[in-house]
Structure formats: structure tokens, C-alpha cells
Amino acid sequence: MADPVAGIAGSAAKSVRPFRSSEAYVEAMKEDLADWLNALYSLGLPGSGDGFLTGLATGTTLCQHANAVTKAARALAAARPTRGVAFQAHSVAPGSFMARDNVASFIGWCRAELGVPEVLMFETEDLVLRKNEKSVVLCLLEVARRGARLGLLAPRLVQFEQEIERELRATPQASSVPAAEEDVTEIAAAPGAPARTPRMTPNDIRNLDELVREILGKCTCPDQFPMIKVSEGKYRVGDSSLLIFVRVLRNHVMVRVGGGWDTLEHYLDKHDPCRCTSSSPATSCPPSPAPAATPGTVTPQPPQHRAAPWVPAATIQPLAPGGSGLTTG
């Protein structure tokens, strides 16, 4: 069997098309999950575009992973999950009844066996018809977290979460750091699980500090939003004492927010007062004020367009050859 982490490092060289900041964090998670599933099952899933969801639309890989998590839980005598899923593994076409049945079986397993919260669940149509890729991605990331606690290979984002949890436990006085919105009992690994789960090969290709400065530099305001490095991967933002954890994932700079992740660009769009709303380009800054008018100068005005004069309907006559169609009274 091939090494599950072999070949991951080279994936960082793949180009990533630019996305709006509001959707970039979903694309970053898709790329991470694709690398993770490819390492586990040698799939060749693409991480960008619709290829990721299309490759999972038959439900076979999802059900295969559900059974792998169940097997790991049984080996450790963990409380859950206790049952796997029965599924159709061969000759399954995307969008077919068997594909829908496979996906529905996986969703039922997530609810009943893993206890994944409803807010992180997705519906069959979200995957089969690609209606809501965000819900699918968030659910898979949560399934990956549960599997990591049982000693299975974890995606890079989950590894980052484990690193941050260890750092928080080592520095309990850092109360200003936003804690993950998860039950502490759920974070702990299952008894008997290895202290350190298998690692994905690091593929960071640029220095974190360099990337942070580059993103902050896109704002050209004289008074930029403050983001001060406290330690490696930890920054103080704004005028408060709030600390955030930052990591590099492929070509993305990710911020740990509550129980999930966001890109630094989107995070700044929501917290930097000078940046525009999510409906406008993230790199735009407020326009400079217009220069004050001086005596003797005239400020150019845009041309005024007047409406055509109203003509009573009674004066309109059928158009005669060579005529204008209007009577002159």
C-alpha cells in the first residue's frame, strides 16, 4: 500500500485561481480535504472547482471512510461510532438512485453514529446536485476531526487545530484568545489513541509573516488596521487585546475563528473599518475627499439629460409619406 502522505508536498505548486474573499475559505477547505482524501484512498480528487464534489457524488468514498472511522473506534473500544454503513461500491453513476442512497446512508451515519450537530450537516441534494458545497465541506471537516481523535490521518486544518489546542493548554492565561466553540470532552482523543496522529506533509511555500504583511499592504489608507505579531502564528488585531491564530494553508492565510476557519482577507473585510463590504472588492479603500473649490474656479458638472417634451396624444396623426406625423396647428 502506498504511503498515505507521499506526494502531498508537490501539490502546493498548483495554481489557485483568485476568489472573492467571501468564498475563498470554502475553496481553501476543499483543497485541504481533497489532499486528505487522496492521501487516504488514492483518489486523485481535484481540490478546485466542481471536481471535488463531483468526485464524491457517488457516495462510495464517504461510506468507505465512515466504515474506516468505525473500524478505528472498535479497535480502541471507543463509545462511538459503533456501526458502519452498508453501501453500493461498484457501478454507481453520479446522480443515480444508488448514488443518492449511498449519500443518504453516510448522512444518517453522521447523525446517528457520530452525533454531528445539525448546523454542520448537509442534505443529499447538496452533494448530488451540488446545491450547497459549503455545508458538505463543513460536515466533512467535522468528520475528519472525529476520525483524528481515533488516530486516523487528519487534514492540515485539523492538525492546525490540534496545535492551537496544545498551545492554549500550555498557556491558560491567554484568556483573550477566542476559544473553539466545542465541548472540551469532544476535543479529547479517545482512550488508547496515539498521542500524535499521522501528519500530512507540510506544504507551506512562503513565510507566514511575509504573507500577512502582503495582505495588510493591500490597504493603502494612511492609518492601517493594526495587526501585531505576538509570537509565531499569533497576532494581536485592532485596538483591543484580541489575539488570533494564523496559519498558512497552501496559498491561503487562514485564521482560526471560533470553532472553524476563515481566510485572513475575509476576516479583515469584516473587521477592518476601512475595507468595503463583502459585495465590493476587498482591496478597495474609501475614496480620497474631493479638493475644495477655490474662488474663481468652476467645478465641472456631469451633463444633464432633459426628458423629451410631452406631446398630447390628440396631436399625433398617422404618418404620411414625407410627413413628420405631428400637426402644427
mmCIF file of all heavy atoms in Angstrom, residues 188-226:
data_model
loop_
_atom_site.group_PDB
_atom_site.id
_atom_site.type_symbol
_atom_site.label_atom_id
_atom_site.label_comp_id
_atom_site.label_asym_id
_atom_site.label_seq_id
_atom_site.Cartn_x
_atom_site.Cartn_y
_atom_site.Cartn_z
ATOM 1 N N ALA A 188 -11.008 15.911 23.273
ATOM 2 C CA ALA A 188 -10.038 14.932 23.736
ATOM 3 C C ALA A 188 -10.032 13.703 22.840
ATOM 4 O O ALA A 188 -11.071 13.266 22.342
ATOM 5 C CB ALA A 188 -10.366 14.540 25.173
ATOM 6 N N ALA A 189 -8.856 13.138 22.651
ATOM 7 C CA ALA A 189 -8.741 11.927 21.848
ATOM 8 C C ALA A 189 -9.315 10.752 22.616
ATOM 9 O O ALA A 189 -9.393 10.747 23.843
ATOM 10 C CB ALA A 189 -7.280 11.668 21.503
ATOM 11 N N ALA A 190 -9.743 9.733 21.876
ATOM 12 C CA ALA A 190 -10.289 8.539 22.505
ATOM 13 C C ALA A 190 -9.198 7.825 23.287
ATOM 14 O O ALA A 190 -8.023 7.836 22.891
ATOM 15 C CB ALA A 190 -10.873 7.618 21.438
ATOM 16 N N PRO A 191 -9.541 7.185 24.420
ATOM 17 C CA PRO A 191 -8.533 6.437 25.185
ATOM 18 C C PRO A 191 -7.872 5.373 24.308
ATOM 19 O O PRO A 191 -8.554 4.636 23.593
ATOM 20 C CB PRO A 191 -9.360 5.814 26.311
ATOM 21 C CG PRO A 191 -10.565 6.687 26.439
ATOM 22 C CD PRO A 191 -10.860 7.168 25.057
ATOM 23 N N GLY A 192 -6.559 5.333 24.358
ATOM 24 C CA GLY A 192 -5.819 4.360 23.560
ATOM 25 C C GLY A 192 -5.377 4.888 22.225
ATOM 26 O O GLY A 192 -4.570 4.251 21.539
ATOM 27 N N ALA A 193 -5.911 6.053 21.810
ATOM 28 C CA ALA A 193 -5.485 6.639 20.536
ATOM 29 C C ALA A 193 -4.071 7.165 20.674
ATOM 30 O O ALA A 193 -3.653 7.585 21.755
ATOM 31 C CB ALA A 193 -6.423 7.774 20.130
ATOM 32 N N PRO A 194 -3.283 7.133 19.605
ATOM 33 C CA PRO A 194 -1.914 7.644 19.691
ATOM 34 C C PRO A 194 -1.896 9.113 20.073
ATOM 35 O O PRO A 194 -2.789 9.884 19.701
ATOM 36 C CB PRO A 194 -1.358 7.425 18.275
ATOM 37 C CG PRO A 194 -2.563 7.289 17.399
ATOM 38 C CD PRO A 194 -3.620 6.661 18.250
ATOM 39 N N ALA A 195 -0.876 9.504 20.851
ATOM 40 C CA ALA A 195 -0.776 10.893 21.301
ATOM 41 C C ALA A 195 -0.656 11.848 20.127
ATOM 42 O O ALA A 195 -1.173 12.961 20.160
ATOM 43 C CB ALA A 195 0.421 11.053 22.239
ATOM 44 N N ARG A 196 0.033 11.433 19.076
ATOM 45 C CA ARG A 196 0.169 12.268 17.874
ATOM 46 C C ARG A 196 -0.342 11.474 16.690
ATOM 47 O O ARG A 196 0.151 10.389 16.392
ATOM 48 C CB ARG A 196 1.622 12.690 17.655
ATOM 49 C CG ARG A 196 2.187 13.543 18.781
ATOM 50 C CD ARG A 196 3.598 14.009 18.461
ATOM 51 N NE ARG A 196 3.611 14.943 17.344
ATOM 52 C CZ ARG A 196 3.444 16.263 17.495
ATOM 53 N NH1 ARG A 196 3.231 16.777 18.674
ATOM 54 N NH2 ARG A 196 3.483 17.061 16.445
ATOM 55 N N THR A 197 -1.358 12.014 16.027
ATOM 56 C CA THR A 197 -1.938 11.335 14.878
ATOM 57 C C THR A 197 -1.020 11.469 13.672
ATOM 58 O O THR A 197 -0.136 12.322 13.650
ATOM 59 C CB THR A 197 -3.313 11.952 14.541
ATOM 60 O OG1 THR A 197 -3.150 13.348 14.309
ATOM 61 C CG2 THR A 197 -4.282 11.743 15.697
ATOM 62 N N PRO A 198 -1.215 10.621 12.638
ATOM 63 C CA PRO A 198 -0.397 10.760 11.426
ATOM 64 C C PRO A 198 -0.495 12.165 10.861
ATOM 65 O O PRO A 198 -1.552 12.801 10.916
ATOM 66 C CB PRO A 198 -1.021 9.723 10.476
ATOM 67 C CG PRO A 198 -1.679 8.729 11.371
ATOM 68 C CD PRO A 198 -2.159 9.496 12.560
ATOM 69 N N ARG A 199 0.610 12.655 10.311
ATOM 70 C CA ARG A 199 0.684 14.041 9.855
ATOM 71 C C ARG A 199 0.687 14.121 8.338
ATOM 72 O O ARG A 199 1.305 13.308 7.653
ATOM 73 C CB ARG A 199 1.966 14.704 10.386
ATOM 74 C CG ARG A 199 2.213 14.545 11.869
ATOM 75 C CD ARG A 199 1.306 15.410 12.681
ATOM 76 N NE ARG A 199 1.632 16.816 12.526
ATOM 77 C CZ ARG A 199 0.926 17.780 13.101
ATOM 78 N NH1 ARG A 199 -0.157 17.499 13.815
ATOM 79 N NH2 ARG A 199 1.284 19.039 12.948
ATOM 80 N N MET A 200 0.010 15.137 7.828
ATOM 81 C CA MET A 200 0.121 15.459 6.416
ATOM 82 C C MET A 200 1.445 16.197 6.211
ATOM 83 O O MET A 200 1.881 16.963 7.082
ATOM 84 C CB MET A 200 -1.033 16.356 5.975
ATOM 85 C CG MET A 200 -2.410 15.707 6.112
ATOM 86 S SD MET A 200 -2.781 14.595 4.755
ATOM 87 C CE MET A 200 -3.203 15.753 3.470
ATOM 88 N N THR A 201 2.092 15.975 5.079
ATOM 89 C CA THR A 201 3.368 16.629 4.814
ATOM 90 C C THR A 201 3.177 18.135 4.672
ATOM 91 O O THR A 201 2.327 18.576 3.906
ATOM 92 C CB THR A 201 3.991 16.080 3.516
ATOM 93 O OG1 THR A 201 4.121 14.671 3.625
ATOM 94 C CG2 THR A 201 5.350 16.722 3.257
ATOM 95 N N PRO A 202 3.934 18.949 5.425
ATOM 96 C CA PRO A 202 3.777 20.409 5.292
ATOM 97 C C PRO A 202 4.048 20.850 3.860
ATOM 98 O O PRO A 202 4.963 20.358 3.210
ATOM 99 C CB PRO A 202 4.835 20.968 6.255
ATOM 100 C CG PRO A 202 5.087 19.855 7.227
ATOM 101 C CD PRO A 202 4.922 18.585 6.441
ATOM 102 N N ASN A 203 3.221 21.769 3.378
ATOM 103 C CA ASN A 203 3.414 22.263 2.024
ATOM 104 C C ASN A 203 3.377 23.785 1.965
ATOM 105 O O ASN A 203 3.035 24.365 0.952
ATOM 106 C CB ASN A 203 2.347 21.690 1.068
ATOM 107 C CG ASN A 203 0.934 21.956 1.562
ATOM 108 O OD1 ASN A 203 0.721 22.776 2.458
ATOM 109 N ND2 ASN A 203 -0.026 21.261 0.983
ATOM 110 N N ASP A 204 3.717 24.431 3.073
ATOM 111 C CA ASP A 204 3.757 25.889 3.090
ATOM 112 C C ASP A 204 4.953 26.350 2.262
ATOM 113 O O ASP A 204 6.073 25.917 2.490
ATOM 114 C CB ASP A 204 3.887 26.414 4.522
ATOM 115 C CG ASP A 204 2.814 25.833 5.432
ATOM 116 O OD1 ASP A 204 1.775 25.428 4.890
ATOM 117 O OD2 ASP A 204 3.041 25.770 6.654
ATOM 118 N N ILE A 205 4.703 27.246 1.317
ATOM 119 C CA ILE A 205 5.770 27.624 0.396
ATOM 120 C C ILE A 205 6.253 29.049 0.632
ATOM 121 O O ILE A 205 7.194 29.472 -0.003
ATOM 122 C CB ILE A 205 5.300 27.452 -1.063
ATOM 123 C CG1 ILE A 205 4.035 28.279 -1.310
ATOM 124 C CG2 ILE A 205 5.060 25.997 -1.383
ATOM 125 C CD1 ILE A 205 3.535 28.207 -2.745
ATOM 126 N N ARG A 206 5.612 29.797 1.518
ATOM 127 C CA ARG A 206 6.059 31.150 1.791
ATOM 128 C C ARG A 206 5.983 31.421 3.287
ATOM 129 O O ARG A 206 5.214 30.796 4.018
ATOM 130 C CB ARG A 206 5.193 32.163 1.030
ATOM 131 C CG ARG A 206 5.320 32.047 -0.478
ATOM 132 C CD ARG A 206 4.466 33.094 -1.169
ATOM 133 N NE ARG A 206 4.893 34.449 -0.866
ATOM 134 C CZ ARG A 206 4.246 35.533 -1.280
ATOM 135 N NH1 ARG A 206 3.147 35.411 -2.005
ATOM 136 N NH2 ARG A 206 4.684 36.737 -0.972
ATOM 137 N N ASN A 207 6.769 32.380 3.736
ATOM 138 C CA ASN A 207 6.805 32.740 5.139
ATOM 139 C C ASN A 207 5.487 33.376 5.558
ATOM 140 O O ASN A 207 4.934 34.227 4.865
ATOM 141 C CB ASN A 207 7.975 33.709 5.364
ATOM 142 C CG ASN A 207 8.052 34.195 6.783
ATOM 143 O OD1 ASN A 207 7.479 35.219 7.110
ATOM 144 N ND2 ASN A 207 8.755 33.443 7.624
ATOM 145 N N LEU A 208 4.970 32.981 6.735
ATOM 146 C CA LEU A 208 3.688 33.486 7.210
ATOM 147 C C LEU A 208 3.702 34.995 7.378
ATOM 148 O O LEU A 208 2.787 35.692 6.929
ATOM 149 C CB LEU A 208 3.326 32.804 8.535
ATOM 150 C CG LEU A 208 2.089 33.340 9.258
ATOM 151 C CD1 LEU A 208 0.852 33.206 8.394
ATOM 152 C CD2 LEU A 208 1.896 32.619 10.587
ATOM 153 N N ASP A 209 4.732 35.513 8.033
ATOM 154 C CA ASP A 209 4.822 36.951 8.256
ATOM 155 C C ASP A 209 4.814 37.730 6.942
ATOM 156 O O ASP A 209 4.186 38.786 6.826
ATOM 157 C CB ASP A 209 6.099 37.273 9.036
ATOM 158 C CG ASP A 209 5.797 37.923 10.364
ATOM 159 O OD1 ASP A 209 4.609 37.958 10.750
ATOM 160 O OD2 ASP A 209 6.738 38.392 11.027
ATOM 161 N N GLU A 210 5.520 37.211 5.957
ATOM 162 C CA GLU A 210 5.577 37.866 4.648
ATOM 163 C C GLU A 210 4.190 37.928 4.022
ATOM 164 O O GLU A 210 3.793 38.961 3.465
ATOM 165 C CB GLU A 210 6.535 37.086 3.748
ATOM 166 C CG GLU A 210 6.620 37.600 2.322
ATOM 167 C CD GLU A 210 7.453 36.690 1.439
ATOM 168 O OE1 GLU A 210 8.125 35.785 1.978
ATOM 169 O OE2 GLU A 210 7.413 36.881 0.213
ATOM 170 N N LEU A 211 3.435 36.835 4.125
ATOM 171 C CA LEU A 211 2.099 36.805 3.545
ATOM 172 C C LEU A 211 1.149 37.742 4.282
ATOM 173 O O LEU A 211 0.314 38.410 3.664
ATOM 174 C CB LEU A 211 1.564 35.371 3.578
ATOM 175 C CG LEU A 211 2.223 34.392 2.607
ATOM 176 C CD1 LEU A 211 1.781 32.971 2.910
ATOM 177 C CD2 LEU A 211 1.887 34.751 1.169
ATOM 178 N N VAL A 212 1.262 37.792 5.605
ATOM 179 C CA VAL A 212 0.404 38.685 6.382
ATOM 180 C C VAL A 212 0.662 40.134 6.001
ATOM 181 O O VAL A 212 -0.274 40.924 5.788
ATOM 182 C CB VAL A 212 0.617 38.462 7.893
ATOM 183 C CG1 VAL A 212 -0.060 39.562 8.701
ATOM 184 C CG2 VAL A 212 0.091 37.094 8.316
ATOM 185 N N ARG A 213 1.935 40.509 5.895
ATOM 186 C CA ARG A 213 2.266 41.885 5.512
ATOM 187 C C ARG A 213 1.763 42.208 4.104
ATOM 188 O O ARG A 213 1.322 43.329 3.829
ATOM 189 C CB ARG A 213 3.785 42.105 5.596
ATOM 190 C CG ARG A 213 4.319 42.177 7.015
ATOM 191 C CD ARG A 213 5.739 42.751 7.029
ATOM 192 N NE ARG A 213 6.667 41.937 6.262
ATOM 193 C CZ ARG A 213 7.376 40.933 6.769
ATOM 194 N NH1 ARG A 213 7.255 40.629 8.057
ATOM 195 N NH2 ARG A 213 8.202 40.250 6.009
ATOM 196 N N GLU A 214 1.844 41.229 3.220
ATOM 197 C CA GLU A 214 1.380 41.457 1.850
ATOM 198 C C GLU A 214 -0.121 41.720 1.820
ATOM 199 O O GLU A 214 -0.594 42.611 1.105
ATOM 200 C CB GLU A 214 1.712 40.225 1.000
ATOM 201 C CG GLU A 214 1.272 40.333 -0.445
ATOM 202 C CD GLU A 214 1.631 39.097 -1.242
ATOM 203 O OE1 GLU A 214 2.830 38.735 -1.249
ATOM 204 O OE2 GLU A 214 0.718 38.491 -1.834
ATOM 205 N N ILE A 215 -0.884 40.961 2.601
ATOM 206 C CA ILE A 215 -2.334 41.146 2.634
ATOM 207 C C ILE A 215 -2.696 42.482 3.284
ATOM 208 O O ILE A 215 -3.562 43.209 2.800
ATOM 209 C CB ILE A 215 -2.998 39.968 3.369
ATOM 210 C CG1 ILE A 215 -2.821 38.687 2.548
ATOM 211 C CG2 ILE A 215 -4.477 40.236 3.621
ATOM 212 C CD1 ILE A 215 -3.233 37.420 3.269
ATOM 213 N N LEU A 216 -2.028 42.820 4.377
ATOM 214 C CA LEU A 216 -2.282 44.100 5.026
ATOM 215 C C LEU A 216 -1.908 45.267 4.117
ATOM 216 O O LEU A 216 -2.542 46.323 4.134
ATOM 217 C CB LEU A 216 -1.497 44.196 6.340
ATOM 218 C CG LEU A 216 -1.959 43.300 7.485
ATOM 219 C CD1 LEU A 216 -1.004 43.413 8.664
ATOM 220 C CD2 LEU A 216 -3.374 43.648 7.915
ATOM 221 N N GLY A 217 -0.868 45.072 3.296
ATOM 222 C CA GLY A 217 -0.398 46.132 2.419
ATOM 223 C C GLY A 217 -1.352 46.456 1.288
ATOM 224 O O GLY A 217 -1.175 47.463 0.593
ATOM 225 N N LYS A 218 -2.379 45.619 1.063
ATOM 226 C CA LYS A 218 -3.353 45.913 0.012
ATOM 227 C C LYS A 218 -4.218 47.115 0.372
ATOM 228 O O LYS A 218 -4.849 47.702 -0.492
ATOM 229 C CB LYS A 218 -4.234 44.691 -0.240
ATOM 230 C CG LYS A 218 -3.490 43.515 -0.857
ATOM 231 C CD LYS A 218 -4.401 42.324 -1.060
ATOM 232 C CE LYS A 218 -3.640 41.154 -1.669
ATOM 233 N NZ LYS A 218 -4.510 39.957 -1.842
ATOM 234 N N CYS A 219 -4.259 47.446 1.652
ATOM 235 C CA CYS A 219 -4.968 48.645 2.085
ATOM 236 C C CYS A 219 -3.982 49.811 2.048
ATOM 237 O O CYS A 219 -2.922 49.756 2.673
ATOM 238 C CB CYS A 219 -5.518 48.468 3.497
ATOM 239 S SG CYS A 219 -6.247 49.962 4.190
ATOM 240 N N THR A 220 -4.315 50.859 1.311
ATOM 241 C CA THR A 220 -3.403 51.997 1.132
ATOM 242 C C THR A 220 -3.770 53.183 2.007
ATOM 243 O O THR A 220 -3.294 54.288 1.787
ATOM 244 C CB THR A 220 -3.404 52.429 -0.343
ATOM 245 O OG1 THR A 220 -4.748 52.744 -0.738
ATOM 246 C CG2 THR A 220 -2.856 51.326 -1.234
ATOM 247 N N CYS A 221 -4.641 52.980 3.001
ATOM 248 C CA CYS A 221 -5.018 54.082 3.894
ATOM 249 C C CYS A 221 -3.828 54.517 4.731
ATOM 250 O O CYS A 221 -2.977 53.702 5.091
ATOM 251 C CB CYS A 221 -6.156 53.646 4.820
ATOM 252 S SG CYS A 221 -7.698 53.314 3.958
ATOM 253 N N PRO A 222 -3.741 55.802 5.072
ATOM 254 C CA PRO A 222 -2.632 56.275 5.918
ATOM 255 C C PRO A 222 -2.615 55.591 7.278
ATOM 256 O O PRO A 222 -1.557 55.302 7.820
ATOM 257 C CB PRO A 222 -2.905 57.780 6.046
ATOM 258 C CG PRO A 222 -3.793 58.120 4.896
ATOM 259 C CD PRO A 222 -4.617 56.899 4.631
ATOM 260 N N ASP A 223 -3.808 55.333 7.839
ATOM 261 C CA ASP A 223 -3.910 54.697 9.147
ATOM 262 C C ASP A 223 -4.430 53.282 8.953
ATOM 263 O O ASP A 223 -5.637 53.037 8.935
ATOM 264 C CB ASP A 223 -4.849 55.504 10.048
ATOM 265 C CG ASP A 223 -4.844 54.982 11.481
ATOM 266 O OD1 ASP A 223 -3.933 54.209 11.823
ATOM 267 O OD2 ASP A 223 -5.770 55.339 12.247
ATOM 268 N N GLN A 224 -3.509 52.317 8.797
ATOM 269 C CA GLN A 224 -3.907 50.950 8.500
ATOM 270 C C GLN A 224 -4.406 50.229 9.752
ATOM 271 O O GLN A 224 -4.071 50.579 10.876
ATOM 272 C CB GLN A 224 -2.735 50.168 7.903
ATOM 273 C CG GLN A 224 -2.369 50.579 6.490
ATOM 274 C CD GLN A 224 -1.363 49.631 5.863
ATOM 275 O OE1 GLN A 224 -0.756 48.824 6.546
ATOM 276 N NE2 GLN A 224 -1.181 49.736 4.560
ATOM 277 N N PHE A 225 -5.226 49.205 9.514
ATOM 278 C CA PHE A 225 -5.739 48.365 10.589
ATOM 279 C C PHE A 225 -4.565 47.656 11.250
ATOM 280 O O PHE A 225 -3.791 46.966 10.587
ATOM 281 C CB PHE A 225 -6.720 47.348 10.004
ATOM 282 C CG PHE A 225 -7.437 46.519 11.014
ATOM 283 C CD1 PHE A 225 -8.371 47.086 11.867
ATOM 284 C CD2 PHE A 225 -7.190 45.158 11.105
ATOM 285 C CE1 PHE A 225 -9.051 46.310 12.787
ATOM 286 C CE2 PHE A 225 -7.863 44.375 12.020
ATOM 287 C CZ PHE A 225 -8.800 44.954 12.867
ATOM 288 N N PRO A 226 -4.395 47.796 12.578
ATOM 289 C CA PRO A 226 -3.219 47.195 13.225
ATOM 290 C C PRO A 226 -3.333 45.681 13.372
ATOM 291 O O PRO A 226 -4.381 45.155 13.716
ATOM 292 C CB PRO A 226 -3.198 47.875 14.603
ATOM 293 C CG PRO A 226 -4.605 48.295 14.847
ATOM 294 C CD PRO A 226 -5.205 48.597 13.512
#
